[in-house]
Amino acid sequence: MYTTTRCETTIPSHQHQQDQNHVQKLPSGLKMKDVSGSVVVVMVPLPAQGHLNQLLELAYFVASYGIPVHFVGSATHNHQAKLRSHIAPSSSPSDICFHDFPTPPFHSPAPDPNSTYKFPSQLQPAFDAASFLRGPIASLIRSLSLESRRVVVVHDSLMGSVVQDAASVPNAESYVFHSVSAFALYWYTWEATGMVLPKEDEVDIAELLSSEGFLSLRVSFTDEFLKFIASQHEFKKLSLGSIYNTCRVVEGRYVDLLASATANGISTKHWAIGPFNMVKAPDKSSKRSAHMCMEWLDKQAASSVIYVSFGTTTALSNEQIRQIAIGLERSGQKFIWVLREADKGDIFSGGGEARKIELPQGFEETVTAGDLGVVVRDWAPQLEILGHPATGGFLSHCGWNSCMESISMGVPILAWPMHSDQPRNAILITKVLKIGLIVKDCMNQNKVVKSSTIQGGVEALMASEQGDEMRKRAAELGVAVRGSMDEGGVSRAELDSFITHISR
Ligand SMILES: *[C@@H]1O[C@H](CO)[C@@H](O)[C@H](O)[C@H]1NC(C)=O
């Protein structure tokens, strides 16, 4: 039924020509090499923002080598990925073929800001519906396999079951994309297998593990999601290798440890080819966003502003938001605070009043009058904000996508992890890389973090010697990470190696 390998959208040829030129400028300095032969890549993301976004960036990288990329998902999630992409903010990218495949209607409940645990269980129905992509994806792979030398499937680590039919197509092969840090993944592997960590390790993981709270899987995930993860596990053996949105400059040690931990006689390959966000917008849209917070940043002193955002999955209670507002105001530090409700499984579905997130009375007037900060209630250009010289810190939930964006822009993090891999990422940032501080007591779930604690954390990162040290180290790491994507850099070499491997 869905055997078409053509893109739905046809592009006028003159425009196509133009876009091809832009492709050659993508990403920053990557040269277009025609190594494609007739290799095609099929990308299959998990339908959650941090996952969609990373795989779309990877799609651009691969497409910049002249290899056709087919990006697969439900219509709503493909639309979400394109709409929020920093690469092509206004138009749909023409060098990537999006396939909108049908999924059954799914329940798209509002997130519960009062839930004890912060895992976004409101997204589970969307994940479950995505399992119905298996049939259309199998058809796509089969029909592509007839007209290509090789079909390369790159799928989210949690979409293994959906792409399992690739294994029965002789000229198809699959690779797992991990959307979390190698550090977090190594830690999970260590827990699952009881491997002994090398002695000289910077972090005593055993000690951290014995602590209660967010580092415990039962707290940072729902039981339902743990089952979902487990159900994807068996399909890992069908893949020939792993791709990470990370950089050896950041955590090469853990990529190596993972490679040795997962070897078990099976030769799988590992490519650390991040940061994916280094992919640049085509020239015509590379002008910066017109968002009002960018102009506000222009008027602020260097490294004086803390950017506050907890990502797309976490809904905070009214009381917690009140405490954050008071903490920020009392710190006296300049801020940009992205105050949005967490995503639903279908961000475009109506139904029910969207929650109006209330701030303490007079808060917005006071901070605006004193030019202390900006509250953003729409989609913020996060990467650009982090890249602005006035931004000197990031109060973050430590989702891996946010971590990589902050690291590549050289901005230190005030870590406030909420769920999933975030607590482990926070340990990487604060204890291993030492480019951030942790919000005191945030690892105790189900407790409102007090305004005085938030104030203390913000002051420590933005206005203390310790914070300055973190900022210095983060800036140095940022230079190294950005350099890794230049010709001769370590991530560029791994990206080249992946492309060479799939076009062999
Ligand atoms: C969350 O709790 C607050 C305060 O108790 C209440 O006003 C609000 O309606 C609750 N929200 C939801 C979605 O249950």
Side-chain angles (χ1 to χ4, degrees), residues 111-114 317-319 355:
D112 177 6
N114 299 335
S317 69
N318 291 340
E319 179 54 18
R355 170 179 173 226

XYZ file of all heavy atoms in Angstrom, residues 111-114 317-319 355, ligand 1:
78
model
N -0.213 16.934 29.962
C 0.693 16.478 31.018
C 0.134 16.848 32.388
O -0.623 17.813 32.503
C 1.980 17.248 30.722
C 1.580 18.408 29.875
C 0.342 18.019 29.147
N 0.501 16.087 33.391
C 0.007 16.362 34.742
C 1.078 17.080 35.564
O 2.061 16.476 35.973
C -0.369 15.035 35.413
C -0.830 15.250 36.852
O -0.956 16.427 37.269
O -1.042 14.247 37.549
N 0.879 18.388 35.781
C 1.910 19.145 36.506
C 2.019 18.716 37.973
O 3.004 19.023 38.632
C 1.428 20.597 36.397
C -0.042 20.500 36.143
C -0.264 19.234 35.397
N 0.989 18.032 38.481
C 0.995 17.665 39.903
C 1.480 16.240 40.155
O 1.432 15.777 41.281
C -0.416 17.804 40.486
C -0.931 19.230 40.383
O -0.148 20.178 40.316
N -2.239 19.390 40.345
N 4.644 21.998 38.731
C 3.450 22.413 39.477
C 3.449 23.929 39.663
O 4.496 24.591 39.570
C 3.432 21.729 40.848
O 4.475 22.240 41.651
N 2.284 24.462 39.948
C 2.178 25.912 40.171
C 3.091 26.359 41.303
O 3.727 27.411 41.229
C 0.727 26.281 40.518
C -0.187 26.104 39.322
O 0.273 26.074 38.175
N -1.485 25.972 39.579
N 3.166 25.546 42.344
C 3.995 25.912 43.490
C 5.479 25.937 43.099
O 6.215 26.846 43.474
C 3.749 24.926 44.649
C 4.563 25.191 45.899
C 4.445 26.621 46.450
O 3.490 27.344 46.098
O 5.357 27.033 47.208
N -3.251 24.666 29.669
C -3.052 25.241 30.995
C -2.364 26.598 30.874
O -1.372 26.736 30.171
C -2.183 24.281 31.803
C -1.683 24.812 33.121
C -0.844 23.731 33.811
N -0.193 24.205 35.007
C 1.091 23.968 35.286
N 1.834 23.278 34.448
N 1.621 24.406 36.413
C -2.718 20.816 40.418
O -2.812 21.273 41.748
C -3.274 22.610 41.861
C -3.146 23.033 43.325
O -3.512 22.008 44.183
C -4.716 22.696 41.347
O -5.192 24.017 41.429
C -4.707 22.249 39.884
O -6.011 22.219 39.364
C -4.086 20.875 39.728
N -3.926 20.623 38.310
C -4.241 19.452 37.733
C -4.072 19.365 36.266
O -4.667 18.491 38.359
